[in-house]
Amino acid sequence: MSQTSLSAPLPESLPGPENAAGLRDALLAAAFTADGLLDLLGAPAYSALARGETVPALRATRGDGPLRTLVRLFLLQESVPTARAAEVLPLAECLADGWLVADGDHVRATVDVRPYGGDEGQDWFIVSDLGRAVGGAGGAGTREEGVVLGVGGASTTLASITVRTPVRSALDLGTGSGIQALHAAQHAVRVTATDLNPRALAFTRLTLALSGATPAELREGSLFEPVEGATYDLIVSNPPFVISPGARLTYRDGGMGGDDLCRALVSGAGERLNEGGYAQFLANWQHVEGEDWKDRLRSWVPAGCDAWIVQREVQDITQYAELWLRDAGDHRSDPTEYAARYEAWLDEFEARGTTGVGFGWITLRKRGAGATGEPSVTVEEWPHPVEQPLGPVIRAHFERQDYLRTHDDAALLADRFVLAEEVVQEQIGVPGDEDPEYVVLRQHRGMRRATKVDTVGAGFAGVSDGSLSAGQILDAIAQLMEEDPVLLRDRTPEAIRLLVEQGFLVPVG
C-alpha cells in the first residue's frame, strides 16, 4: 500500500473555492464520478480502494486517459506530467487557487478529492487532507493534530439514517469535511456548519463549492457554543465520540472524560430544536459496572423530547483500545511506546469502571407544546443487518409512537390496518407435524425485524388489507375459532400495539 502521503505535512493553506465551478466541470467531463470510478477500476479494485489498498487501482490506471490521470492525481496522490494534467484540467486556475502545485515537470494535488454519490444520484465531491480520506492512499491512520478526514463508514451511516424532510434550518455540528452539510443543503433553506478545527470549516467550504451546493454558514467553536441562542429544525452530528485518555486527535477524541461529550451533545440538543425538529447523532457510550446501560442513556434524553436509541455494537475495553490505537497508527510505533499508550487506555477504563463501549445511533424529536402523554423513549440493542437508508424508517417510528399514544384500545379496534410491505410469514416446527410450534413474521425492509405471533396474530396480520376494522377482523376470527368475541377483543389489543410499534402493521390514513 502506498504510504507516501502519510509523511506529507499538512499544508499551511488550502485551495480557494473561487474557480471551483470550472474544476467541477472538468471532473465531470472526464467521468470522475462514483459511477465512472467503478466502471474504470472494476468492483474488486474499487472495493480495495475503499479499504485503503491502492495497488489494484494503480494497476487499473496505467496508461493515458483523462479519468486515469485524475484518479492518480486526486485519489492515489501520484504526481502526473504537467502536460497530461493540462489536457484534462483548467491548469492555470488549479495552480493559482492551490488545488495543484508544480513539482518539476509534474504537478501533484494538495488535497484529496473523492467522488461521492448524492441522495438522488447527484455527482458530489468530498475534499479532505491528502491520504486521510478513509480508504484513501494512506488510510485513516495518522497521529497528526488538525487532520481532516474524508468519507468513512460513520459519516455515510449518519447520512443514511437522517430524516430527509424539507426544513428551514439545519445544523451540522462538528462538520469535518462537510459531508452532512452537503446532504442537508439539498433539503434545508439554511445550513449552519460548525467545527472546533478551522481547517475543517475550510474543507467544508471546498466540498460544498466543488459539489455545486449552496454555501453554508460556517462557525468555529466547540459543541453548541458557536450557535448559542439559535434553534434549528434539524441537528446532525458525527462528533469526535471516541472515549480515550486525553484528546490527541481533534477529528476523533472528544477531550472530555468518558462519554461526557456525547452526553453533553444529546442533553443539550433539546433546547436548540424547534418543535417537531429532529436531532440525530452517532455516539459511543460506556458500559459501567453496576449500571444498566439503557438507564444510563435514558438519563441523557432532554425534557420535552421523544427518543429512539439503537445500540449497534459493543466492544470490550481491549478491543476498543486496540481499534483506536491502530486508527492512530500507534501499532507502527516503538513497541514500548505502544504498550504505554495501551496501558493508559486500560487505566482510564479501570478508573471509570468501564467494562465495555457501545456504539450506535441516537435520534431525538422535539415534542410540540400541546403534546399529551409521556414522552416515548425507546432504547434497544439491534446488531442485525438493516436496509439503508433508514431516514424514512426513523421518521415512521416516531409517527407510530404518536399514533399509539393517542389511540386507546377502543380507538385501536375501530381503526383499520394494512400489512407493511415485504413482510413474510415463517412457520416453525418439526418437519412432518401438521401444526407449527409457532409462527414468525419477518420484515425484509428497514430494520428487518422478526416477531413471534400466535394463531390469532398471524391470522389478523394476514387479512389486514385496510378494508375491515380491527374489531371486525377479530369478530370473524372468533367465529372461526369458536371463541368468545368479547374475550378476544379484550386480550388482543396489546398484540396489535406491538405489531404497530414494530412496523408490521400500518394504520390506514
Side-chain angles (χ1 to χ4, degrees):
M1 182 176 73
S2 172
Q3 297 289 345
T4 57
S5 60
L6 275 178
S7 59
L10 299 180
E12 293 183 4
S13 60
L14 295 175
E18 292 77 17
N19 296 299
L23 175 56
R24 172 179 171 80
D25 290 341
L27 298 179
L28 293 177
F32 188 65
T33 64
D35 289 340
L37 285 184
L38 182 59
D39 290 341
L40 172 67
L41 302 179
Y46 189 82
S47 299
L49 189 61
R51 298 191 301 270
E53 297 291 345
T54 61
V55 172
L58 286 166
R59 292 171 62 87
T61 55
R62 290 172 178 168
D64 295 334
L67 182 53
R68 287 180 170 85
T69 297
L70 293 176
V71 172
R72 295 180 75 89
L73 190 62
F74 287 117
L75 291 185
L76 303 178
Q77 280 95 59
E78 297 282 323
S79 296
V80 303
T82 302
R84 186 176 298 174
E87 294 173 356
V88 65
L89 294 171
L91 187 60
E93 290 85 349
C94 287
L95 288 168
D97 290 348
W99 295 92
L100 304 176
V101 293
D103 185 11
D105 60 353
H106 285 58
V107 293
R108 54 183 174 82
T110 61
V111 291
D112 185 296
V113 176
R114 181 162 299 265
Y116 179 67
D119 297 318
E120 298 177 357
Q122 303 100 321
D123 292 315
W124 294 340
F125 300 96
I126 308 302
V127 188
S128 64
D129 273 313
L130 284 174
R132 277 77 176 196
V134 179
T142 176
R143 286 185 281 180
E144 290 195 66
E145 179 64 27
V147 69
V148 177
L149 300 186
V151 183
S155 52
T156 56
T157 294
L158 179 58
S160 295
I161 68 172
T162 299
V163 175
R164 301 289 176 199
T165 55
V167 295
R168 292 194 58 81
S169 59
L171 170 64
D172 176 14
L173 195 153
T175 186
S177 54
I179 299 165
Q180 310 309 323
L182 178 57
H183 281 278
Q186 312 309 307
H187 63 102
V189 175
R190 175 174 57 88
V191 176
T192 301
T194 72
D195 207 288
L196 182 63
N197 182 1
R199 288 177 56 78
L201 299 177
F203 273 116
T204 294
R205 180 182 290 110
L206 295 176
T207 289
L208 294 173
L210 196 56
S211 298
T214 303
E217 178 185 17
L218 305 176
R219 298 190 182 185
E220 182 181 342
S222 177
L223 300 178
F224 292 106
E225 293 173 0
V227 294
E228 190 64 39
T231 58
Y232 299 89
D233 301 313
L234 174 67
I235 299 173
V236 292
S237 183
N238 176 19
F241 52 64
V242 176
I243 301 171
S244 60
R248 294 171 60 203
L249 301 173
T250 303
Y251 73 86
R252 68 166 208 192
D253 298 328
M256 296 186 182
D259 51 19
D260 284 354
L261 182 135
C262 290
R263 177 188 55 77
L265 273 177
V266 176
S267 61
E271 61 184 309
R272 275 86 179 182
L273 280 175
N274 296 325
E275 288 188 5
Y278 288 89
Q280 298 188 263
F281 309 97
L282 300 187
N284 278 186
W285 46 79
Q286 298 171 111
H287 284 230
V288 179
E289 187 173 2
E291 293 185 23
D292 186 317
W293 70 270
K294 293 183 178 181
D295 290 342
R296 180 183 181 82
L297 291 179
R298 287 189 186 98
S299 72
W300 293 8
V301 177
C305 288
D306 297 320
W308 186 16
I309 301 173
V310 181
Q311 179 169 272
R312 295 288 288 158
E313 182 182 2
V314 181
Q315 290 186 326
D316 67 45
I317 57 175
T318 59
Q319 291 174 311
Y320 190 80
E322 291 162 12
L323 169 66
W324 295 110
L325 287 166
R326 287 194 301 271
D327 171 80
D330 289 319
H331 61 302
R332 295 192 292 266
S333 66
D334 176 81
T336 302
E337 181 182 348
Y338 175 78
R341 291 194 184 280
Y342 201 149
E343 287 276 6
W345 283 74
L346 297 184
D347 287 344
E348 175 77 6
F349 287 136
E350 183 178 343
R352 295 182 176 277
T354 305
T355 58
V357 178
F359 170 83
W361 320 320
I362 298 177
T363 300
L364 306 176
R365 186 190 59 169
K366 185 68 172 287
R367 306 185 74 197
T372 59
E374 292 295 316
S376 167
V377 178
T378 301
V379 184
E380 63 176 320
E381 186 167 16
W382 192 256
H384 311 293
V386 298
E387 182 190 52
Q388 296 282 17
L390 276 178
V393 174
I394 289 176
R395 181 184 179 189
H397 166 87
F398 288 98
E399 291 173 345
R400 292 195 301 270
Q401 298 302 318
D402 289 343
Y403 173 85
L404 293 171
R405 193 159 40 206
T406 56
H407 285 68
D408 60 16
D409 287 355
L412 199 71
L413 293 176
D415 214 342
R416 294 172 292 131
F417 301 88
V418 294
L419 190 65
E421 294 182 2
E422 296 194 35
V423 172
V424 299
Q425 175 179 303
E426 300 174 358
Q427 299 190 75
I428 312 299
V430 177
D433 279 4
E434 183 175 346
D435 296 317
E437 294 179 15
Y438 58 90
V439 175
V440 171
L441 298 181
R442 187 178 302 277
Q443 301 169 348
H444 285 273
R445 302 290 296 273
M447 295 292 285
R448 295 179 176 170
R449 296 188 186 276
T451 189
K452 188 188 299 186
V453 294
D454 60 12
T455 303
V456 173
F460 185 94
V463 299
S464 291
D465 60 4
S467 61
L468 298 174
S469 70
Q472 290 172 320
I473 292 174
L474 291 179
D475 289 345
I477 291 175
Q479 186 174 1
L480 288 173
M481 298 179 64
E482 297 182 351
E483 286 198 30
D484 185 335
V486 175
L487 294 178
L488 193 60
R489 279 174 171 255
D490 285 344
R491 77 167 194 260
T492 306
E494 183 177 354
I496 296 175
R497 285 184 181 278
L498 179 63
L499 293 177
V500 172
E501 181 180 5
Q502 295 189 345
F504 290 93
L505 292 176
V506 181
V508 173

